[in-house]
Amino acid sequence: MENIYTEKIDDKTLIVNLENEWRKSLTFPNDDFWDAVISSSQYWVFKQGEEAIGYACLSAKNTLMQFFVLGKWLDKGKFILSRFVKEQEIKKAWIGTNNPICLSLSMHFQKSVEVDGYIFDDMEEVVLKEPEGNFRMAELKELDALVDFSHRVLDAPKVWLADYITNWIKREEFYVFEKDNKIVGTGELRTTSINNDVASLGIVVCSDHRNLGIGTYLLGKVKSISKSRNQQPICGCGIDNISSQKAIEKNGFRILHSMLTLKFE
């Protein structure tokens, strides 16, 4: 149709330009986790002649992570997606309800829909009880202790954790909660170059200090810090992560969008 074709791309400039146009269409920002998942996917560009008119992303498991067509060409969007799904033998998609172009076009091909996770918006100010302990900004000199703590709680690789924590400490976006001179929790307000005005909040609490209100308190603290920096605090969690959902909602966040799995067959 009108000489529209598809090709793989790794042209960073083209990708950034197309993604900037896509982000204008979002009804609510993604948190940094979803953005990282999308950016680690394989990118494909749709072209009409030499003009790039849209793009798509596929995960290593061939899941559709993103589909976008510029407004001028959106009347061809259903056809382009249909052909792409058939050519790549795509069996499912992972899409947020905050992503209307991708979701509305993908709904034409779905056989079933499941909710996988939530995106929360800050809708209410709350005052929480402060537990006994010391909350402070993390320092690079304690990196080894923070890596050991996070590895013990999350079971993530230490090499990856060292790079991850170092990055957020340098950005002054990683915090520690101590009790009896022992790290029992951490809090993060992660901003990225994609959107420095949005802070994705996260917390980690060791297993023997859970259900004591520490996680809820930590989330409230990083929420407050993000707002003092004129950043929009947002949260996300999986549908089965009930403890995180409770802590998020106790801090005045409410579910605004869902992450969906659409199965095409």
Side-chain angles (χ1 to χ4, degrees), residues 59-230:
S59 74
K61 295 183 179 181
N62 212 44
T63 298
L64 181 68
M65 310 301 295
Q66 168 66 318
F67 178 86
F68 174 75
V69 177
L70 294 170
K72 176 182 176 181
W73 298 95
L74 199 50
D75 59 329
K76 309 296 189 300
K78 183 179 175 182
F79 163 78
I80 297 170
L81 179 56
S82 176
R83 188 172 65 179
F84 186 66
V85 167
K86 184 177 181 180
E87 289 175 346
Q88 302 303 319
E89 299 180 342
I90 302 169
K91 294 178 172 57
K92 66 178 181 179
W94 197 31
I95 307 168
T97 57
N98 63 326
N99 189 0
I101 291 176
C102 184
L103 180 59
S104 61
L105 291 173
S106 297
M107 286 295 290
H108 289 91
F109 311 103
Q110 60 82 23
K111 304 298 182 183
S112 66
V113 179
E114 297 177 358
V115 177
D116 280 335
Y118 303 120
I119 304 175
F120 297 81
D121 189 15
D122 176 30
M123 296 187 179
E124 185 180 358
E125 288 299 323
V126 297
V127 178
L128 299 170
K129 180 180 179 181
E130 186 169 338
E132 182 180 346
N134 178 41
F135 175 85
R136 59 177 177 80
M137 187 181 294
E139 302 178 60
L140 278 176
K141 65 182 181 182
E142 58 187 330
L143 179 62
D144 289 345
L146 290 169
V147 169
D148 287 342
F149 167 80
S150 298
H151 174 70
R152 189 169 64 254
V153 178
L154 301 174
D155 196 31
K158 285 190 174 183
V159 173
W160 179 84
L161 284 169
D163 290 340
Y164 178 86
I165 295 171
T166 296
N167 175 58
W168 301 121
I169 290 177
K170 288 182 176 179
R171 294 175 64 92
E172 298 186 347
E173 296 178 354
F174 200 89
Y175 292 80
V176 177
F177 184 75
E178 297 172 315
K179 190 172 183 180
D180 300 325
N181 296 315
K182 175 185 175 183
I183 298 173
V184 298
T186 59
E188 307 164 24
L189 53 142
R190 304 179 300 270
T191 63
T192 68
S193 57
I194 292 173
N195 192 347
N196 194 52
D197 294 328
V198 175
S200 299
L201 309 186
I203 56 169
V204 174
V205 179
C206 62
S207 58
D208 57 343
H209 283 77
R210 291 173 185 167
N211 300 314
L212 299 174
I214 293 174
T216 301
Y217 167 74
L218 284 174
L219 190 65
K221 291 292 287 185
V222 291
K223 169 185 169 178
S224 178
I225 293 169
S226 68
K227 296 184 77 168
S228 72
R229 296 177 178 179
N230 295 318

